Amino acid sequence: MALPSFAHGLARYALVAALAAVFALFAALAPGFLSGANLLSVLVNNFALLAIVAIAMTFAVSAGGIDLSVGTAVDFSSFAFVSLVLAGQPVALAALGGLAGGALVGLFNAVLIAGIGISPFLATLGTLFVGRSVQQLLTNGGNPVYLPPAGVPEAFRFLGHGALAGIPVPLIVTALVVAGAWVVLARTRFGRVALATGIQASVVRYSGLRLPRITAATYVLVSTIAAVVGLILTSTVTVYIPSSGNAFLLNAIGATFIGTTFDPHGRPNVPGTVLGVLLLGVVANGLLLSGLNFYWQQVGTGLLIFSVLAIGFANRKAAGRV
Amino acid sequence: MADTAKSGEAIIRLENIVKRFGGAEALSGASLTVRRGSVHGLVGQNGAGKSTLIKLIAGLHRADEGTVEIDGKAYDRLTPHLVEELGVHFIHQDRLLVPTFTVGEALFLGRELRFPGTPFLDRAGMRRKSAEILERYFGLSLPHSALIAELSAAEKQIVQITRALIANPKVLVFDEPTAALVRREADLLFQLIRRLSAEGVTVLYISHYLGEIVDLCDTVTVLRNGRDVATLPVAETSAADIGALMVNRAIGELYPKPDVTPGEVVLDVENLALAGRFEAVSFRLRKGEVLGLTGLVGSGAKEVVRSLFGLDRPTGGTVRIKGETVFSADPAAATRRRLALVPEDRRRDGVALDLTVTENTTLASLDRFSRGIIDRSAERRQTENLVKRLEIKTDGVDALVKTLSGGNQQKVAIAKWLSRQSEIYLLDEPTVGVDIAAKVEIYRLIGELAERGAAVLVLSSDIEELLGVTDRILVFFRGSVTREFPSSETSPGEILADVTGAHETLRHAG
């Protein structure tokens, strides 16, 4: 049985190779791509926030679902955070409020999916629409909520602009989320059971595990992770812009599925998702620096997703794993 | 309706039919002769070849060897359409009526009446004709425009029969027609069949219920292992004899059953009921005991097992596990009380095909291997031990379960509960779809469980298997336990007679 491990190597190689290839390509073609400042900007601007949302998505996909409302959780977190700071609450408390705001979105999804039994795709699509309307109602039809520059506490700016030992805080937070998520998904009972739910839910039920509880926990976790992004984003730009979180949605889904090629069995996994986000980030930044028309960036991203998925799929098929 | 002039001649004749699927022979030289005007019964255990034989007549399969004659003429290439043109029609429980069609559309689908010489449908004519048949044979009217989906099982069957009658059938083939009917509806069906027979229609009647066969048919053919082992006039035989013919196989050394003295009662079921499914079910299961349950689909046996594991909520009665009354219908609570279920649909409910052997084995017992973080080397060791103990053939504990054979997948499904240290095992059709060698290993495992003090309940429709591995057997019929047999002093035929309701017939007759 040498073929599967060989093909598995190839499938994993596809993602790493694609990353190395685009990196080399832009190093050669895009002026300034290799500069330290640019690479740091890739990490902070193109990687950190998307990585957190994509990891949230990885949990949903792992459990056999999807969460189209991750952006809604980002927005609700951002709105709650800004509102509480404006109301004069301590920043730490306001941040907790932000996380709770995001978690609320997950709770709503949990009721729809685990309680009523609506499919995750439709349930979270509904939440996406409802969330957008709620935000418009809360903001007089979608007006941004600014924090007056004078009134912003220093602690508030720290999440987005601070640094520890020279490392930007957003990157540190992302690293913590990545490490935590990796442990939870790959090494804990919850992660294992969520994975089993995604692979064959009825076996989970027939094994005496409480399926609705696991599903509900998954969607609350997804939204809570996404809510972290709401905090960082708000701290960075000191404004809440309604429905802005949805910008992460498609890239998060793309990165998660690109990441599945990194697993021998094609399962969603945290390291794969991180590599997927890096790949998308490098491509976006590189295309921008190459002076390519903005609209061509999307084409590049799409082609990239196709090719990585195709190679990964073909390899697993050759190994008889599909 | 059909002419009775040539009564007694063969209207359907199958000679030495051989039919293979891949390497397996479903039929190995089966013959069947149905005579004009008779009501001919066809019986056999699951896998005996009944459905293959019926599909051959229906033109859905083609024989590899042998001849098929209808009305004295041999056909090589029967198609479903041709068979209907020859006047042979099928009433099948599962045969699909399009649920979104109206009664009228379903009745005339494919042979709509038209105004002569035009493409226009004669709706009034169709309505008249179906109303006339419905009135004449069933004494009822079905709304022509009702949707099929709105009809009961019995009404759907009436639509099927009416559809066949519109075409003036010579032969009607009934394939397990009473499976979804209540007693009263079944009685009406029997009346109808007798009447059609009196009018000269030939009937081929396939049923698990031997009582029905004895009641209704004049001739019966018994299939076993792909061959017809007997064709008898019903007047000269009995349901028990027919049952004995169906299962006649040497039991031999298949069942390595250890001698265990049962211990204390661990599962005490009293008057358990689930409305519409089963009622007043009581039994006790002791440590070290292997109890068998058997019954036809819908007899309630499977539903009892589901209720015990908390998958369905009983509507009455009590269940005590080790003396403690159980209230919740919740598999999680059941497994905490050390109950284990190995479900019938192994590939859907028993094992996760895309998880590894290890991940499957420890799925129900992750608590044992994790305090927050899973101790992966401990779960691996545990799995390797169980793989060795159950002789699971796999490339390794990291292989996906879908790469294993059916028998080895089933062993993984059992290993999951051994890892959970379960004490009461509910095995639902544990050897369905596994080869004979794996079957014997599963039988050995059942014996080993009992020896180690587990209580085992085996639900199976394979009666020989039950007699071989259990201490006693409860027979379910139409929702209740009709009889208990000690396994060592009972013959398959006796049980089969009860399973199929032959005693019901005796009771009706006496």
Side-chain angles (χ1 to χ4, degrees):
Chain A
M1 297 292 279
L3 185 61
S5 58
F6 170 68
H8 154 208
L10 269 185
R12 294 191 121 185
Y13 185 67
L15 182 50
V16 180
L19 188 56
V22 293
F23 196 86
L25 187 74
F26 289 128
L29 295 183
F33 176 78
L34 271 186
S35 74
N38 183 58
L39 292 181
L40 190 66
S41 139
V42 168
L43 286 179
V44 176
N45 298 325
N46 298 80
F47 172 76
L49 298 188
L50 178 59
I52 296 174
V53 181
I55 276 167
M57 184 65 72
T58 302
F59 276 97
V61 175
S62 189
I66 195 157
D67 188 347
L68 303 179
S69 64
V70 279
T72 311
V74 172
D75 292 333
F76 273 51
S77 157
S78 176
F79 178 77
F81 191 30
V82 167
S83 303
L84 288 169
V85 170
L86 274 178
Q89 297 295 332
V91 172
L93 189 71
L96 278 180
L99 291 180
L104 203 64
V105 175
L107 211 56
F108 188 66
N109 286 333
V111 170
L112 295 179
I113 297 165
I116 304 177
I118 303 175
S119 82
F121 185 93
L122 294 178
T124 57
L125 184 64
T127 303
L128 172 65
F129 285 127
V130 171
R132 191 183 289 172
S133 293
V134 168
Q135 292 178 62
Q136 283 169 349
L137 290 171
L138 288 172
T139 58
N140 282 328
N143 291 320
V145 179
Y146 294 94
L147 282 178
V152 176
E154 198 40 47
F156 179 87
R157 294 174 46 85
F158 179 71
L159 262 181
H161 297 280
L164 286 173
I167 305 170
V169 172
L171 273 185
I172 295 174
V173 174
T174 303
L176 290 176
V177 170
V178 166
W182 179 76
V183 169
V184 169
L185 191 58
R187 292 283 184 273
T188 66
R189 180 173 182 273
F190 170 77
R192 176 72 63 79
V193 175
L195 172 74
T197 303
I199 282 179
Q200 217 170 311
S202 75
V203 171
V204 171
R205 178 162 176 256
Y206 275 79
S207 296
L209 298 162
R210 294 199 164 104
L211 195 52
R213 203 178 279 187
I214 294 151
T215 306
T218 304
Y219 283 92
V220 173
L221 180 67
V222 169
S223 290
T224 309
I225 295 174
V228 174
V229 172
L231 303 184
I232 300 176
L233 191 65
T234 314
S235 163
T236 308
V237 296
T238 64
V239 58
Y240 154 72
I241 303 168
S243 299
S244 56
N246 291 333
F248 294 107
L249 175 61
L250 297 180
N251 281 334
I253 295 175
T256 300
F257 282 97
I258 288 176
T260 61
T261 61
F262 192 62
D263 180 88
H265 301 306
R267 298 170 179 172
N269 65 99
V270 171
T273 298
V274 169
L275 287 173
V277 174
L278 265 181
L279 186 63
L280 292 178
V282 167
V283 169
N285 174 268
L287 288 175
L288 191 73
L289 291 184
S290 314
L292 209 63
N293 185 319
F294 172 79
Y295 297 105
W296 282 101
Q297 281 188 38
Q298 304 271 334
V299 176
T301 308
L303 287 176
L304 198 72
I305 293 180
F306 287 147
S307 43
V308 172
L309 287 179
I311 295 169
F313 185 79
N315 279 320
R316 279 192 298 127
K317 193 167 177 182
R321 288 178 194 274
V322 178
Chain B
M1 201 159 257
D3 58 329
T4 50
K6 295 175 283 181
S7 176
E9 285 172 20
I11 189 159
I12 293 178
R13 213 162 72 90
L14 305 174
E15 275 286 314
N16 293 319
I17 301 287
V18 176
K19 176 67 189 171
R20 299 180 198 92
F21 295 103
E25 252 181 26
L27 292 173
S28 17
S31 301
L32 171 71
T33 303
V34 180
R35 300 196 179 280
R36 192 182 299 274
S38 66
V39 180
H40 197 120
L42 181 63
V43 298
Q45 285 196 298
N46 287 336
K50 275 178 308 182
S51 55
T52 311
L53 202 66
I54 295 308
K55 284 179 179 162
L56 271 160
I57 301 174
L60 294 166
H61 290 331
R62 204 153 287 154
D64 294 318
E65 293 169 30
T67 54
V68 179
E69 284 176 25
I70 294 178
D71 230 352
K73 192 170 178 300
Y75 293 90
D76 285 346
R77 298 190 164 273
L78 280 175
T79 64
H81 186 72
L82 178 59
V83 170
E84 287 208 344
E85 297 226 307
L86 293 169
V88 183
H89 292 261
F90 294 79
I91 314 299
H92 192 291
Q93 198 52 57
D94 302 331
R95 184 140 166 194
L96 289 176
L97 290 168
V98 183
T100 54
F101 273 23
T102 65
V103 170
E105 286 163 342
L107 284 174
F108 290 92
L109 178 65
R111 41 174 189 253
E112 292 82 358
L113 299 184
R114 296 191 160 78
F115 291 111
T118 73
F120 300 111
L121 298 178
D122 180 1
R123 291 175 179 278
M126 288 192 274
R127 195 169 298 132
R128 249 194 329 273
K129 183 154 186 183
S130 61
E132 179 200 313
I133 290 177
L134 282 167
E135 176 58 37
R136 191 159 123 224
Y137 288 96
F138 303 98
L140 59 78
S141 57
L142 281 179
H144 209 69
S145 55
L147 290 181
I148 295 296
E150 296 164 357
L151 302 183
S152 71
E155 286 170 332
K156 281 183 198 159
Q157 194 172 62
I158 287 173
V159 171
Q160 282 195 19
I161 297 173
T162 307
R163 182 178 151 77
L165 292 178
I166 287 170
N168 264 342
K170 290 181 189 154
V171 183
L172 280 179
V173 182
F174 290 86
D175 192 356
E176 300 285 353
T178 56
L181 302 186
V182 301
R183 182 85 220 179
R184 190 179 49 77
E185 294 166 340
D187 284 340
L188 287 175
L189 177 71
F190 301 152
Q191 280 176 24
L192 173 75
I193 291 175
R194 290 197 182 93
R195 177 168 169 192
L196 289 170
S197 174
E199 291 182 8
V201 177
T202 308
V203 174
L204 179 56
Y205 191 90
I206 297 103
S207 179
H208 270 315
Y209 295 86
L210 295 183
E212 293 177 0
I213 298 279
V214 173
D215 259 4
L216 197 63
C217 302
D218 44 49
T219 314
V220 59
T221 296
V222 181
L223 282 184
R224 192 172 70 220
N225 297 337
R227 284 199 177 80
D228 56 308
V229 291
T231 297
L232 308 162
V234 167
E236 295 168 20
T237 185
S238 69
D241 288 344
I242 297 173
L245 279 167
M246 283 166 63
V247 296
N248 183 26
R249 272 190 309 186
I251 293 180
E253 295 302 302
L254 270 176
Y255 308 107
K257 173 141 183 37
D259 216 9
V260 182
T261 312
E264 80 229 46
V265 172
V266 287
L267 179 66
D268 185 353
V269 178
E270 221 178 290
N271 277 320
L272 198 66
L274 177 58
R277 301 301 184 136
F278 57 83
E279 55 187 16
V281 172
S282 301
F283 61 86
R284 288 172 166 196
L285 179 61
R286 296 171 178 278
K287 280 182 79 150
E289 191 182 28
V290 184
L291 173 66
L293 301 188
T294 191
L296 297 171
V297 171
S299 66
K302 181 177 297 285
E303 291 75 5
V304 166
V305 171
R306 287 180 57 87
S307 295
L308 289 177
F309 194 65
L311 290 163
D312 295 330
R313 180 180 291 279
T315 48
T318 51
V319 175
R320 273 184 290 272
I321 295 173
K322 289 187 268 182
E324 223 182 296
T325 307
V326 179
F327 293 104
S328 57
D330 175 10
T335 52
R336 255 203 314 281
R337 293 196 160 84
R338 304 235 176 272
L339 230 68
L341 173 67
V342 177
E344 178 181 10
D345 195 340
R346 173 175 62 237
R347 295 167 62 84
R348 192 188 67 194
D349 308 323
V351 289
L353 298 170
D354 280 306
L355 289 181
T356 66
V357 172
T358 303
E359 287 163 340
N360 269 287
T361 302
T362 58
L363 186 59
S365 51
L366 283 170
D367 292 343
R368 285 183 63 197
F369 305 101
S370 75
R371 256 180 239 97
I373 310 287
I374 297 175
D375 180 349
R376 299 214 293 183
S377 64
E379 73 166 343
R380 208 186 155 85
R381 271 197 307 278
Q382 164 81 351
T383 306
E384 277 164 353
N385 285 339
L386 286 168
V387 163
K388 207 173 296 165
R389 181 173 149 202
L390 305 192
E391 294 171 28
I392 298 173
K393 287 168 200 74
T394 168
D395 278 341
V397 294
D398 295 326
L400 294 184
V401 162
K402 72 177 170 195
T403 63
L404 275 55
S405 72
N408 286 300
Q409 289 178 0
Q410 187 69 308
K411 290 188 203 167
V412 172
I414 297 172
K416 176 168 76 182
W417 297 114
L418 292 173
S419 177
R420 185 78 174 78
Q421 297 173 316
S422 301
E423 291 166 9
I424 303 169
Y425 289 79
L426 314 173
L427 311 180
D428 185 355
E429 300 287 356
T431 62
V432 159
V434 311
D435 62 51
I436 186 75
K439 273 187 188 183
V440 177
E441 287 180 50
I442 289 169
Y443 299 148
R444 181 181 57 76
L445 189 59
I446 291 172
E448 191 192 311
L449 284 172
E451 261 182 321
R452 290 183 178 221
V456 186
L457 189 152
V458 182
L459 168 64
S460 176
S461 52
D462 183 337
I463 289 159
E464 284 176 61
E465 162 181 303
L466 276 187
L467 287 170
V469 301
T470 64
D471 297 304
R472 55 199 174 92
I473 297 173
L474 303 178
V475 175
F476 282 72
F477 187 77
R478 297 207 197 276
S480 34
V481 177
T482 52
R483 203 122 69 105
E484 176 178 336
F485 293 96
S487 305
S488 54
E489 303 152 24
T490 308
S491 75
E494 286 175 77
I495 292 186
L496 201 62
D498 263 58
V499 165
T500 53
H503 69 285
E504 288 275 296
T505 314
L506 295 178
R507 218 177 282 159
H508 277 276

